[in-house]
Amino acid sequence: MESEYAIELEDIHKSFAGKNVLKGVSFQIKPGTIVGYIGQNGAGKSTTVKIILGLIDQDDGVVTVFGKAVDRDDPQYKRRIGYVPEGADLFDALTAREYLQLVGQLYGLTAEDAGSKAEQLAEIVGLGPAFDRRIASYSKGMRQLVLIIASLLHDPDILFWDEPLNGLDANAVLVIEEILQELRNRGKTIFYSSHIMDVVQKLSDRIILLNEGTVVADGTFKQLQADQDTSLQQLFNEMTGFAEHGEKAKAFVDIVMGGGVNETTQTDADHAD
């Protein structure tokens, strides 16, 4: 019998060169959930995802996907996952059709089926007219759409999307947001990481906040608010100890406009560090 959880992490630890990056991270995620996984740069978000994907091993703790321990050599496990990494490289010499056919074949589809399915998806998101052009000619937003399509071609059960809206125009963002919610409604699990807090707040059924390798908040946005009239960005700033953005901005602009920092501004900047 398959586990009731799509993803389970129990007391995960990971260090690099003696630095503790993850310090006992634990959580369980049920299918059909959009999880916003947020934290400052260096908090351990990407490391967590790479461990779940089987790209790197944890030092300690247990990771299971649908009740089974992660096995990087298990093709069935890989077929159940779709991944949009931040800043991924594409094969510029290929057309979108060629690239997506290649990706589809890696997941067990035939080139013909992958190409046909990818073309239909590309048409819906506005990529159709450029589908047979080389990726080298694509804008950042067009490249991002190719990555999104690549992550969905094999109909995965879990999606890991890291900054998926990078480079997309306003219309494309609205379409992708609706796609995410439709996927969730059909039982897919989405692990969504972004620094755009208003989007995370809008889309997420549950938000997990990681700070210095430790989960410091986990719940719905309303639960995290705890009856306070505040935004996710404000909560993020408070929980990560960063509440001096205004002072930093003032010090920065003072230098830009004045050519230096006066004593008062310098003092403010010192307090902001």
Side-chain angles (χ1 to χ4, degrees):
M1 182 176 176
E2 192 166 78
S3 170
E4 66 174 307
Y5 298 110
I7 305 168
E8 296 179 79
L9 270 67
E10 182 180 347
D11 199 26
I12 300 301
H13 292 259
K14 182 65 179 179
S15 298
F16 294 102
K19 179 182 178 182
N20 294 325
V21 177
L22 297 179
K23 307 168 185 175
V25 172
S26 299
F27 54 75
Q28 299 169 319
I29 300 171
K30 290 187 175 182
T33 306
I34 298 178
V35 176
Y37 195 53
I38 60 176
Q40 294 176 311
N41 289 334
K45 302 189 304 299
S46 295
T47 299
T48 308
V49 171
K50 288 177 181 177
I51 288 173
I52 300 171
L53 291 171
L55 299 176
I56 59 176
D57 293 323
Q58 67 271 28
D59 297 332
D60 198 9
V62 179
V63 180
T64 57
V65 174
F66 292 109
K68 294 184 178 181
V70 170
D71 180 358
R72 67 181 69 188
D73 296 321
D74 178 6
Q76 185 58 37
Y77 152 73
K78 293 179 180 178
R79 287 194 185 103
R80 301 191 75 171
I81 291 176
Y83 182 36
V84 176
E86 183 180 12
D89 291 326
L90 296 172
F91 297 114
D92 284 355
L94 300 180
T95 66
R97 183 190 300 277
E98 291 167 341
Y99 175 77
L100 291 167
Q101 284 179 325
L102 174 62
V103 171
Q105 288 177 89
L106 293 174
Y107 282 109
L109 302 175
T110 66
E112 182 179 0
D113 287 345
S116 175
K117 187 173 184 179
E119 185 172 10
Q120 294 175 64
L121 296 173
E123 286 288 348
I124 291 173
V125 297
L127 203 60
F131 194 63
D132 287 303
R133 280 170 32 198
R134 294 190 188 278
I135 294 173
S137 68
Y138 278 22
S139 67
K140 184 176 181 180
M142 293 166 72
R143 289 168 176 262
Q144 196 68 11
L145 289 172
V146 171
L147 288 170
I148 287 171
I149 292 171
S151 75
L152 290 165
L153 266 182
H154 56 295
D155 188 23
D157 295 308
I158 302 175
L159 289 170
F160 292 91
W161 281 10
D162 192 355
E163 299 291 356
L165 305 182
N166 274 354
L168 300 185
D169 62 32
N171 288 336
V173 167
L174 291 175
V175 172
I176 297 304
E177 288 179 356
E178 290 292 334
I179 288 171
L180 278 173
Q181 293 179 78
E182 186 65 25
L183 287 166
R184 181 269 315 279
N185 293 343
R186 299 197 192 188
K188 306 297 186 182
T189 304
I190 295 102
F191 204 76
Y192 185 102
S193 183
S194 177
H195 289 100
I196 308 174
M197 292 297 147
D198 58 341
V199 176
V200 175
Q201 178 179 325
K202 174 184 176 182
L203 291 178
S204 301
D205 303 307
R206 176 179 168 193
I207 297 167
I208 299 175
L209 173 56
L210 197 67
N211 187 43
E212 296 183 352
T214 302
V215 174
V216 296
D218 183 354
T220 66
F221 176 60
K222 286 187 177 180
Q223 289 171 336
L224 298 188
Q225 275 185 307
D227 297 324
Q228 301 177 59
D229 184 16
T230 186
S231 68
L232 180 59
Q233 182 66 65
Q234 290 170 315
L235 289 171
F236 179 88
N237 292 341
E238 292 170 6
M239 292 180 182
T240 58
F242 185 75
E244 299 84 15
H245 45 282
E247 289 86 350
K248 285 181 177 289
K250 180 182 176 183
F252 188 95
V253 175
D254 281 348
I255 295 172
V256 170
M257 299 186 68
V261 186
N262 60 39
E263 186 174 339
T264 301
T265 304
Q266 182 63 59
T267 301
D268 291 342
D270 289 340
H271 288 312
D273 291 337

